[in-house]
Amino acid sequence: MSLDIDQIALHQLIKRDEQTLELVLRDSLLPANATVEAMVEELHRVYSAKSKAYGLFNEESELADALRQCRKGEDDFLAFSRAATGRLRDELAKYPFAEGGIVLFCHYRYLAVEYLLVTVLSSQSSMRVNEELDISTTHYLDIHHADIVARIDLTEWETNPESTRYLTFLRGRVGRKVADFFMDFLGASVGLDTKAQNRGLLQAVDDYCAESSLDKNERQNYRQQVYSYCNEQLQAGEEIALQDLSNELPPLGEKNFQTFTQEQGYALEESFPADRGTLRQLTKFAGSGGGLTLNFDAMLLGERIFWDPTTDTLTIKGTPPNLRDQLQRRTSGN
């Protein structure tokens, strides 16, 4: 992995009681030795693979101002990280779910792009067997389940300040509250809405097919082509590029797909990240609620599965063998 650490700082927040988060600050930067490099590479790999939300700094962001001073050389990275950790503690202490953790600031380069990654990592206990085959307790940083993480694309921020996507963050496993306090700490607002972009793409595909009067099978084949391209981009870690997608698709009528989206005003970016859950709707219907979960191929609608919108009723003709077996055993038992 072509990842170069420039500077890395580590501090700690310790929860003493319900009202107190104690601050433990290092007096020096971490040395970028092999162990630290391996940790940052794992952090980068895990974070890059997760679904992220996009944001941008507010005009009054204290963190952005401090980061600018640091980038200009008016403040050193250690001092920047120490002050930022204090602000993080103050924001986190406002919430009842506040926990301690290891606070990490890492300035690094990957593929000619500069990043600042900020995260709060929790420690977990586990067991290990030593060379004498004795069992002892050990502690490790739970990188894979980190949910308080943000990364600033410093290159994008400084070369394209009007961008709405230079800051990314995780929404967190405990809901919006994690995102709320972390966004307050960053002094940032939500930027590019990835799900909205993907939903807009799906709507444009359906409207494009409808305008060309395609039959059901032709429409579904077209959706499948769109899904294949988008899924390949997703697997490769690349964004959906409208022009490339349009080049992959056969034009319907006189307009290609990109021209259609531009003329109809779908407000799609030239490129945007793929959202797995939204894109799945191109080929499947899925939903859950009230103890019921359904998931079926889109091609089955109107063939084996029928929906009556008046009564909101689904009729399924032909059940999967394993489901049918369960139904038979249950009904015969009764």
Side-chain angles (χ1 to χ4, degrees):
M1 180 181 288
S2 179
L3 187 152
D4 297 312
I5 299 174
D6 192 332
Q7 300 176 95
I8 180 168
L10 186 146
H11 309 290
Q12 187 174 19
L13 295 172
I14 302 175
K15 187 172 185 178
R16 296 298 185 189
D17 53 49
E18 291 300 320
Q19 287 79 37
T20 307
L21 271 175
E22 182 180 328
L23 210 56
V24 180
L25 302 175
R26 273 183 63 99
D27 293 325
S28 61
L29 296 173
L30 276 179
N33 55 33
T35 301
V36 171
E37 288 178 359
M39 177 191 67
V40 174
E41 287 178 357
E42 182 69 358
L43 261 173
H44 175 85
R45 186 191 66 79
V46 169
Y47 182 72
S48 297
K50 292 189 176 185
S51 177
K52 295 173 282 293
Y54 291 78
L56 66 161
F57 286 126
N58 301 326
E59 290 185 5
E60 66 276 11
S61 170
E62 293 183 16
L63 185 79
D65 289 340
L67 184 55
R68 289 189 187 94
Q69 300 304 314
C70 183
R71 297 286 286 170
K72 292 176 182 177
E74 298 177 10
D75 201 358
D76 62 70
F77 191 77
L78 179 63
F80 160 75
S81 70
R82 288 167 63 95
T85 302
R87 286 196 297 271
L88 177 60
R89 187 269 311 273
D90 295 341
E91 288 295 339
L92 187 55
K94 298 176 183 177
Y95 293 82
F97 59 77
E99 296 290 343
I102 302 300
V103 184
L104 185 144
F105 294 79
C106 184
H107 173 207
Y108 68 96
R109 293 175 177 82
Y110 179 70
L111 299 179
V113 177
E114 284 190 82
Y115 294 104
L116 173 66
L117 186 139
V118 185
T119 181
V120 181
L121 299 172
S122 61
S123 296
Q124 300 293 333
S125 297
S126 184
M127 300 294 172
R128 66 181 294 269
V129 177
N130 61 22
E131 295 177 355
E132 287 75 32
L133 299 184
D134 291 323
I135 296 177
S136 61
T137 301
T138 186
H139 297 275
Y140 66 93
L141 292 175
D142 193 4
I143 290 175
H144 288 265
H145 296 108
D147 56 12
I148 304 176
V149 192
R151 187 172 67 184
I152 302 155
D153 183 331
L154 298 171
T155 303
E156 175 82 1
W157 180 44
E158 293 175 343
T159 60
N160 184 18
E162 300 303 315
S163 170
T164 60
R165 54 198 299 181
Y166 54 76
L167 188 153
T168 60
F169 64 99
L170 300 182
R171 291 196 178 277
R173 288 178 285 118
V174 295
R176 278 292 303 162
K177 288 185 177 179
V178 168
D180 287 345
F181 96 79
F182 210 41
M183 292 296 274
D184 289 342
F185 158 68
L186 294 168
S189 304
V190 175
L192 177 71
D193 189 334
T194 302
K195 287 185 180 293
Q197 288 288 304
N198 281 258
R199 287 194 298 266
L201 173 64
L202 268 59
Q203 186 63 56
V205 170
D206 284 345
D207 293 347
Y208 189 49
C209 292
E211 185 177 271
S212 302
S213 302
L214 300 184
D215 63 29
K216 175 191 170 184
N217 289 336
E218 290 172 332
R219 288 198 304 272
Q220 194 52 45
N221 288 335
Y222 211 81
R223 292 191 190 101
Q224 182 63 54
Q225 292 180 68
V226 174
Y227 178 78
S228 296
Y229 165 81
C230 294
N231 191 50
E232 288 177 3
Q233 296 299 99
L234 183 65
Q235 297 300 323
E238 301 291 338
E239 296 190 351
I240 298 170
L242 267 186
Q243 183 172 345
D244 292 344
L245 171 59
S246 185
N247 292 339
E248 292 275 334
L249 299 172
L252 303 178
E254 299 179 356
K255 305 172 186 175
N256 65 20
F257 180 67
Q258 184 180 28
T259 302
F260 174 80
T261 61
Q262 292 170 342
E263 291 183 356
Q264 297 298 316
Y266 288 96
L268 296 175
E269 299 277 330
E270 292 183 4
S271 65
F272 51 88
D275 181 72
R276 190 187 307 276
T278 305
L279 292 173
R280 197 175 292 123
Q281 298 174 30
L282 286 165
T283 60
K284 290 184 178 295
F285 288 99
S288 62
L292 178 68
T293 298
L294 287 174
N295 183 326
F296 59 91
D297 290 341
M299 285 297 294
L300 297 180
L301 188 64
E303 293 185 0
R304 288 178 52 197
I305 299 177
F306 304 87
W307 180 51
D308 183 346
T310 304
T311 60
D312 192 20
T313 303
L314 276 180
T315 302
I316 303 173
K317 293 187 175 181
T319 55
N322 56 348
L323 174 60
R324 185 164 59 250
D325 179 61
Q326 294 175 61
L327 292 170
Q328 289 172 341
R329 284 188 285 109
R330 180 61 62 87
T331 53
S332 63
N334 292 334

